[in-house]
Amino acid sequence: MEMTSLNKYSYKRLQDFCATVFVHAGVMKKQADIVAASLVQADLRGVDSHGVVRTAIYLKRVEQNMINPSANIRIEKENDSTALLDGGNHFGAVVGDQALKLAMEKAKTNGVGVVGVKNSNHFGTGAYYALQALKEDLVTIIMSNASQTMPPTGGVRPFIGTNPLAVGIPCGAYEPFILDMATSVVARGKIIVAAQKGERIPIGWAVDKNGKPTTNAEEALEGSVLPLGGPKGYGISMFIDILSGVLTGAGFGKYVHNMYENWEKPQNVGHFFITIDINQFMNIAEFKQRMDLYISEIKAEPMAEDVDEILIPGEIERRISEQRKKNGIILPLKVEKELTEIGIKYGVSLSDALITNHTESEGV
């Protein structure tokens, strides 16, 4: 198990720390705030693999001119309900934020907004965008492609990414439905940890470089992670790549470049945003009542042995977020050390983000 720090960090001040670091690295304040917010929100929701752990690689790609924080994000094509956005190789979170706002504006005016994006970068978690749209009572579907980590069913080497899919749907009394998932069985990071510890991995997580199932973590890292649900996950990942990459003019398959390994070409990630105005189908109040009824009936279903509660997508993450807002975020020691060193480099103190006593809370 990865060692964690004994320190607890205020999510607000951790976000300020990250934003200030990005500003010192040459990013405009407004855009630095967006990138920092997308990272810290992932940590709040317990998706630590997409949280402040990504700060270092984002900064390195800026320093190596692999991300252009001064890029002009422009609309290449547009009509009443659709648009194609050229991200200009800006931060994925900044490009995604602009694409979402455009899609929401179109949905409110015309009932639906569909915005494709090309020339972008890793954009964080889909839930970051879903939560923004939920404030406007919009249904949102968010997709992005990613660099190669999974083989096509029947293949032996990586061709498609663990392309994420997120859906946000508002409710009334209940918390909103937020589905945010990758299309792989397991994150590659878990296999890396197993390899570091010399542990075996469960069968079904990955294949070796010859396409054979393996429980050897080192062999798995030389091979590929597997799609969720076999050919079904492969098919979902493929359609996300088609909409986000092929349709938008972004990279797809092997043309989406790895942000950790490729230092010659920008990532050229593609995204796809769909926003829907519920009022075009029924009054929003009626819809929320129907969603509440739907969820209440799901939760009232008979439960299997050793199950205390039936949950809906997004509920666990919401509870983790509430706990971490109240109690602070605990970072892995490796990440804490990395952020401390980044802070020293850019003249910002990570210790300023610490919760200094047990009575301190985010509301103070």
Side-chain angles (χ1 to χ4, degrees), residues 49-50 149-150 161-162 182-194 201-207 214 220-221 224-229:
S49 61
H50 287 58
T149 49
M150 298 195 305
T162 58
T183 46
S184 57
V185 173
V186 68
R188 193 169 185 269
K190 289 189 177 182
I191 300 176
I192 293 173
V193 170
I201 60 173
I203 197 73
W205 275 20
V207 293
T214 183
L221 291 177
S224 310
V225 297
L226 289 173
L228 177 71

Side-chain angles (χ1 to χ4, degrees), residues 21-22 25 55-64 342 346:
V21 165
F22 285 121
T55 305
I57 189 63
Y58 282 8
L59 286 168
K60 185 175 180 180
R61 290 195 73 80
V62 170
E63 293 163 358
Q64 297 294 319
I342 287 170
Y346 288 100

Side-chain angles (χ1 to χ4, degrees), residues 264-333:
E264 296 178 358
K265 297 179 180 179
Q267 278 199 276
N268 196 14
V269 174
H271 319 308
F272 207 74
F273 293 81
I274 303 171
T275 52
I276 302 167
D277 179 10
I278 293 166
N279 285 303
Q280 299 297 320
F281 295 85
M282 68 174 61
N283 179 274
I284 184 65
E286 180 186 357
F287 176 81
K288 288 183 175 181
Q289 288 174 355
R290 288 172 61 83
M291 281 299 297
D292 284 349
L293 175 61
Y294 180 55
I295 291 171
S296 67
E297 292 188 350
I298 286 178
K299 286 182 168 291
E301 281 294 289
M303 292 179 285
E305 276 187 55
D306 302 323
V307 173
D308 297 323
E309 181 184 7
I310 293 174
L311 300 169
I312 65 166
E315 208 164 5
I316 291 174
E317 292 84 354
R318 174 72 180 216
R319 293 175 186 180
I320 292 172
S321 179
E322 289 173 353
Q323 292 170 0
R324 292 186 175 185
K325 282 182 179 180
K326 180 180 179 181
N327 301 321
I329 293 172
I330 297 175
L331 299 173
L333 281 173

Side-chain angles (χ1 to χ4, degrees), residues 66-85:
M66 291 291 101
I67 291 177
N68 180 6
S70 302
N72 177 35
I73 302 169
R74 63 185 181 86
I75 298 173
E76 188 169 288
K77 291 184 178 182
E78 184 178 26
N79 64 26
D80 289 346
S81 296
T82 69
L84 175 63
L85 211 62

Side-chain angles (χ1 to χ4, degrees), residues 41 45 96-97 100-101 104 123-143 165-170 176-181 272-275 313-314 318:
Q41 188 187 88
R45 291 174 58 81
D97 186 77
L100 175 69
K101 285 180 169 59
M104 291 195 298
F123 79 161
T125 64
Y128 174 70
Y129 307 97
L131 283 165
Q132 294 181 59
L134 285 165
K135 294 176 183 177
E136 304 296 329
D137 283 336
L138 297 170
V139 169
T140 313
I141 304 169
I142 304 125
M143 293 171 264
L165 170 68
V167 180
I169 302 174
F177 173 99
I178 302 177
L179 174 69
D180 189 5
M181 55 172 275
F272 207 74
F273 293 81
I274 303 171
T275 52
R318 174 72 180 216

